Amino acid sequence: PVEATDDAFWDQFWADTATSVQDVFALVPAAEIRAVREESPSNLATLCYKAVEKLVQGAESGCHTEKERQIVLNCCRLLTRILPYIFEDPDWRGFFWSTVPGAGRGGGDEDDENARPLAESLLLAVTDLLFCPDFTVQSHRRSTVDTAEDIHSIDSCEYIWEAGVGFAHSPQPNYIHDLNRTELLKLLLTCFSEAMYLPPSSDSSNTNPWVQFFCSTENRHALPLFTSLLNVVCAYDPVGYGIPYNHLLFSDYREPLVEEAAQVLIVTLDYDSSTSSSPTVDGTTTGTAMDDVDPPGPDNLFVNYLSRIHREEDFQFILKGVARLLSNPLVQTYLPNSAKKIQFHQELLVLFWKLCDFNKKFLFFVLKSSDVLDILVPILYFLNDARADQSRVGLMHIGVFILLLLSGERNFGVRLNKPYSVRVPMDIPVFTGTHADLLIIVFHKIITSGHQRLQPLFDCLLTIVVNVSPYLKSLSMVAANKLLHLLEAFSTTWFLFSAVQNHHLVFFLLEVFNNIIQYQFDGNSNLVYAVIRKRNVFHQLANLPTDSQAIQKGLQRKKKSPEPISRTNSQDGVSMEGSRPAAPAEPGTLKTSLVATPGIDKLTEKSQVSEDGTMRSLEPEASQLSPEGNPPTALSDGELWSGEASHSRRDRRRLSSASSTGQWTPTPDWVMSWKSKLPLQTIMRLLQVLVPQVEKICIDKGLTDESEILKFLQHGTLVGLLPVPHPILIRKYQANSGTAMWFRTYMWGVIYLRNVDPPIWYDTDVKLFEIQRV
């Protein structure tokens, strides 16, 4: 053991040389940290406490000399290196929350400060250092060194790092300040990463003590820090003053800071909104009006600040910034390498999700203008691009979750009618149409040519299409054919009989056709024509056999026929120019596992749209309530499941294994139970009226030309001939602790994989997820 008072020994760790963070990682190998932890724990404890003490001293003095700054940065790097090894050992986890005897005695009269746990001292020192003039922010005083600003008297709100939300002044860029901020933020992120070393639990009271303290009123810099992080991310323009290829001329010190800021921001916003009784974000409380006139917000100040942003220009700034950064990889495909290609789109998607989830005014702002399409197109691009890559299952999920959230609002469906003209090079058929066509074509591509692990998302994808379908004014022929191709694939007897919830997909698709025919018949002659052409699919569904023999025969058919979902669509072989097909992950790619996502019935709540456009939530059916209460079992993402919450694990088998294991077998009663509910009346009536008329035109005019038939359908009407329109049902996303847990594992998985230089958590014993090689 080395005495804590032996300064000569301890100072050599931080005072001697300027080392980069990469040097620290190279010079302090994992094996040695673990060895010290096991064999001389008192030395490791002293090292941590001395390093924190140096940071506290630096924050107190304001880091005026080069030497002090060097010491602060070295301590910062050392702690970033050591903390993960403290977290991985359960016996050490409480160490930073204990008080170190004799700490803080330096000033003599600061005995009341002794009671602070080490973790709190560390976090407060780092936040002070993030607003330290001439170290991380521009000094406002232009005088001699004697009157250096006192770190305690400065109002850090005047030192916000970037103009934007709540701050109009954009400070002069200074790359040294950017580098110093980045290192301090890296240390913060490492402090917060204790969450990675705890196994996933659905218990939402499991709050991260580091984040909790950092986002509490104890942190006097909470507001300027939140604002600085948000503004630095949203103001970043990787193109560099609009000059293409600019980034090749000079180095960009802002990008690492922006990445780090985005990661710290999403971690501080990791808050389960479904369990809190704090006010919902439009200001109404879950309690009664009597309780409190102005109820307190969540105790997490970052969530609180985020939920209170309300000025239009702030929303515009955030939305423009997020859309600019999400579109960056798409810009790449026109002028290759013209702009710096950012890699943090997953963190941006989590941030966008949090904004919409915690700030309903922001969500409505996004949907009010067609700017929402600037978010939609990049998401569809990422979904299409990642569909064959198993290491990007998480990206697929979050993209679909965001679209599910947006699709619960009527405005989203209306916005989709805007013509799609921006031709992003994507590996999809060429079409002329709207953003709705783009959405349907990409979803079809994911379902027909994505990998096996995306099957749990099929319910979600089709729910999104159902939600927007009543508002789609005119689908293109390509999109209409895609929808019918899906129905054809999902209604084969083999598919319907091979898993307990496969028939749900047919119900969703029929609901889409019914919504469009009932509410948007006039502009949708392409879809009506496609329904007439493929009418045998609907007749086969209506006459689906239900006897045991036919069921067995249906299941046998799979062995002979090829995969029912194949890309045998005649007229759309041509893809957009410049597109590359989705590539699978390169061998050796690391990926992190995810917990199971709740089934679609847990993810959404049904609402009925009444005639005046308002929504009324429907009572959940009894069937949906039965297995409530049991926490989601963590499955590897290979067996993420969806559909009805089933009682036994075996029902959740992926569709491929369901028939081969033979554990669940379809019975005539089971088939009858749902076949009788298939909503086919509207379509059958449409076929009954229109098919004879179309056939007559063909015979009379000797027609084989579809344009004449389309012309006839455009001018036809079914007013009075169809059944009474059914009410529109929207399935709105609903927050729950299952998704909160999913977001936590996904977010930390992304952060783990993205921090490779230096590799902060690599090869430590993380428990929140598993790391696999693809």
Side-chain angles (χ1 to χ4, degrees):
V2 183
E3 282 301 315
T5 49
D6 183 355
D7 285 340
F9 174 79
W10 296 110
D11 282 351
Q12 65 183 342
F13 285 98
W14 36 73
D16 295 352
T17 48
T19 48
S20 70
V21 68
Q22 285 77 10
D23 293 342
V24 171
F25 272 70
L27 294 169
V28 186
E32 290 191 15
I33 303 175
R34 290 193 175 111
V36 174
R37 189 182 69 193
E38 303 313 321
E39 290 156 29
S40 45
S42 66
N43 285 354
L44 183 60
T46 309
L47 181 65
C48 290
Y49 136 65
K50 297 291 275 185
V52 172
E53 191 180 47
K54 286 291 171 203
L55 289 179
V56 172
Q57 285 168 6
E60 290 286 323
S61 72
C63 282
H64 295 306
T65 67
E66 200 45 55
K67 186 170 170 17
E68 282 180 289
R69 287 173 201 160
Q70 203 49 66
I71 291 177
V72 162
L73 289 172
N74 283 340
C75 290
C76 195
R77 291 159 190 158
L78 195 62
L79 286 166
T80 303
R81 180 61 173 144
I82 292 172
L83 275 165
Y85 297 92
I86 298 239
F87 294 150
E88 72 175 6
D89 184 336
D91 297 337
W92 273 85
R93 228 167 270 151
F95 169 70
F96 269 85
W97 294 96
S98 58
T99 50
V100 178
R105 263 212 307 256
D109 56 344
E110 293 179 62
D111 285 327
D112 57 320
E113 284 291 301
N114 289 355
R116 267 218 190 284
L118 207 51
E120 296 187 4
S121 306
L122 171 56
L123 290 173
L124 292 176
V126 172
T127 52
D128 273 342
L129 288 164
L130 285 166
F131 292 101
C132 185
D134 292 326
F135 180 51
T136 48
V137 291
Q138 210 73 45
S139 170
H140 289 185
R141 295 226 175 129
R142 282 281 157 265
S143 58
T144 56
V145 187
D146 323 327
T147 57
E149 293 164 85
D150 173 16
I151 193 92
H152 293 291
S153 65
I154 70 169
D155 174 8
S156 47
C157 285
E158 294 172 14
Y159 290 89
I160 288 171
W161 301 347
E162 188 56 68
V165 176
F167 195 67
H169 164 69
S170 189
Q172 196 57 40
N174 178 322
Y175 82 94
I176 300 281
H177 293 174
D178 278 3
L179 291 175
N180 295 341
R181 292 165 178 173
T182 307
E183 299 230 32
L184 287 160
L185 290 180
K186 224 186 254 319
L187 173 56
L188 269 183
L189 198 59
T190 311
C191 292
F192 298 157
S193 70
E194 185 179 55
M196 280 195 214
Y197 298 91
L198 301 169
S201 81
S202 52
D203 176 18
S204 53
S205 63
N206 199 348
T207 46
N208 181 333
W210 295 83
V211 173
Q212 197 175 9
F213 179 80
F214 180 78
C215 297
S216 72
T217 45
E218 295 270 349
N219 176 358
R220 70 186 182 100
H221 302 294
L223 180 60
L225 246 173
F226 168 76
T227 315
S228 294
L229 296 172
L230 183 64
N231 291 356
V232 157
V233 173
C234 296
Y236 179 55
D237 184 358
V239 175
Y241 311 108
I243 312 163
Y245 300 100
N246 200 14
H247 68 290
L248 301 176
L249 306 179
F250 56 83
S251 201
D252 178 1
Y253 295 98
R254 197 31 69 116
E255 191 193 18
L257 174 64
V258 175
E259 283 196 7
E260 216 63 52
Q263 292 175 1
V264 169
L265 201 50
I266 60 177
V267 170
T268 52
L269 296 170
D270 176 21
Y271 180 81
D272 183 357
S273 56
S274 64
T275 54
S276 68
S277 59
S278 58
T280 53
V281 193
D282 52 5
T284 57
T285 39
T286 39
T288 62
M290 294 300 290
D291 292 346
D292 197 343
V293 188
D294 187 19
D299 9 318
N300 177 326
L301 289 179
F302 278 43
V303 173
N304 203 338
Y305 296 145
L306 186 77
S307 67
R308 289 177 184 222
I309 299 172
H310 61 277
R311 294 191 344 209
E312 294 262 323
E313 55 267 41
D314 290 344
F315 286 156
Q316 189 64 41
F317 165 74
I318 294 172
L319 180 59
K320 276 275 182 284
V322 173
R324 177 196 317 115
L325 292 170
L326 284 178
S327 311
N328 162 276
L330 287 57
V331 177
Q332 296 302 321
T333 40
Y334 301 122
L335 272 179
N337 305 323
S338 62
K340 201 173 170 78
K341 186 162 187 175
I342 64 156
Q343 301 294 331
F344 55 99
H345 47 270
Q346 302 197 80
E347 293 93 316
L348 285 165
L349 290 173
V350 176
L351 178 60
F352 183 76
W353 170 270
K354 299 278 181 199
L355 279 155
C356 292
D357 195 22
F358 294 145
N359 191 327
K360 289 294 171 273
K361 289 193 174 103
F362 176 75
L363 178 61
F364 296 135
F365 176 84
V366 170
L367 291 166
K368 200 171 66 177
S369 71
S370 49
D371 288 350
V372 65
L373 302 175
D374 297 338
I375 301 283
L376 169 74
V377 173
I379 289 179
L380 291 175
Y381 172 85
F382 293 132
L383 291 179
N384 186 56
D385 189 49
R387 68 178 192 275
D389 180 347
Q390 298 215 8
S391 66
R392 293 199 278 168
V393 174
L395 171 62
M396 299 292 295
H397 274 77
I398 187 169
V400 173
F401 283 161
I402 289 175
L403 298 182
L404 179 65
L405 179 73
L406 295 172
S407 74
E409 307 297 335
R410 172 181 176 274
N411 261 354
F412 182 65
V414 174
R415 297 283 158 240
L416 290 179
N417 290 309
K418 188 175 176 180
Y420 174 68
S421 50
V422 255
R423 301 286 166 246
V424 172
M426 274 159 101
D427 171 29
I428 53 170
V430 176
F431 70 98
T432 307
T434 64
H435 283 75
D437 295 311
L438 177 69
L439 177 106
I440 288 168
I441 292 167
V442 169
F443 282 11
H444 173 269
K445 193 93 178 180
I446 294 168
I447 291 172
T448 57
S449 67
H451 59 77
Q452 195 63 52
R453 295 201 161 148
L454 297 179
Q455 274 168 345
L457 281 177
F458 290 3
D459 279 2
C460 260
L461 291 167
L462 293 185
T463 299
I464 294 165
V465 180
V466 173
N467 280 348
V468 301
S469 60
Y471 312 110
L472 305 183
K473 291 193 164 30
S474 66
L475 285 186
S476 69
M477 190 58 96
V478 177
N481 284 330
K482 295 298 184 199
L483 285 174
L484 277 141
H485 179 228
L486 289 178
L487 182 71
E488 207 172 359
F490 290 149
S491 58
T492 59
T493 48
W494 170 77
F495 184 77
L496 284 173
F497 297 158
S498 67
V500 70
Q501 67 291 51
N502 282 356
H503 61 279
H504 292 192
L505 301 173
V506 169
F507 276 79
F508 283 139
L509 284 162
L510 290 175
E511 202 176 326
V512 170
F513 295 131
N514 288 338
N515 280 342
I516 293 180
I517 291 166
Q518 290 279 23
Y519 290 98
Q520 300 289 352
F521 180 81
D522 289 354
N524 273 301
S525 50
N526 287 331
L527 184 79
V528 175
Y529 177 64
V531 168
I532 292 173
R533 263 188 50 215
K534 292 279 189 186
R535 55 189 179 276
N536 64 326
V537 179
F538 299 97
H539 290 303
Q540 277 166 0
L541 264 176
N543 302 314
L544 190 71
T546 55
D547 55 293
S548 306
Q549 208 177 346
I551 291 174
Q552 285 315 311
K553 205 167 132 196
L555 288 171
Q556 294 304 314
R557 203 171 291 172
K558 162 69 178 162
K559 296 184 179 126
K560 297 191 284 267
S561 68
E563 179 74 12
I565 297 178
S566 63
R567 296 194 270 178
T568 49
N569 252 25
S570 50
Q571 82 284 62
D572 48 45
V574 200
S575 274
M576 298 189 170
E577 53 184 316
S579 62
R580 297 180 314 281
E586 297 198 358
T589 308
L590 288 181
K591 66 176 191 133
T592 51
S593 62
L594 292 163
V595 292
T597 48
I600 193 74
D601 52 339
K602 295 273 189 299
L603 264 181
T604 55
E605 179 184 48
K606 287 186 185 161
S607 308
Q608 195 171 313
V609 181
S610 49
E611 288 174 16
D612 57 0
T614 54
M615 288 197 191
R616 158 175 94 72
S617 131
L618 296 178
E619 284 301 304
E621 294 137 38
S623 67
Q624 289 179 325
L625 292 178
S626 52
E628 271 294 20
N630 40 0
T633 34
L635 311 177
S636 76
D637 54 357
E639 21 174 31
L640 286 171
W641 63 287
S642 169
E644 274 180 355
S646 36
H647 291 274
S648 63
R649 175 104 170 233
R650 61 168 193 258
D651 292 349
R652 309 175 186 166
R653 294 281 159 158
R654 285 220 311 279
L655 134 196
S656 55
S657 57
S659 52
S660 56
T661 51
Q663 289 178 319
W664 171 83
T665 45
T667 60
D669 287 349
W670 172 77
V671 178
M672 276 308 297
S673 72
W674 54 262
K675 180 189 163 181
S676 58
K677 297 185 187 136
L678 283 168
L680 287 163
Q681 303 86 324
T682 302
I683 293 170
M684 290 308 190
R685 186 81 185 109
L686 172 127
L687 293 173
Q688 196 187 347
V689 174
L690 293 180
V691 171
Q693 299 182 359
V694 170
E695 284 174 344
K696 187 172 184 307
I697 296 179
C698 294
I699 295 164
D700 289 355
K701 302 195 174 171
L703 271 187
T704 50
D705 177 23
E706 51 184 55
S707 62
E708 284 287 328
I709 301 169
L710 283 168
K711 204 174 288 174
F712 161 72
L713 290 174
Q714 270 163 8
H715 299 298
T717 172
L718 291 176
V719 172
L721 296 172
L722 293 179
V724 177
H726 54 283
I728 295 176
L729 268 189
I730 299 287
R731 293 170 180 83
K732 286 174 82 94
Y733 166 81
Q734 193 186 5
N736 59 54
S737 48
T739 44
M741 193 60 232
W742 185 89
F743 272 98
R744 182 171 307 153
T745 49
Y746 169 62
M747 167 183 83
W748 279 115
V750 168
I751 290 171
Y752 176 94
L753 294 173
R754 297 258 299 108
N755 282 275
V756 286
D757 181 28
I760 301 182
W761 299 281
Y762 191 69
D763 273 347
T764 58
D765 186 16
V766 291
K767 292 277 196 297
L768 185 62
F769 42 76
E770 287 166 24
I771 294 108
Q772 299 122 347
R773 279 188 189 282
V774 179

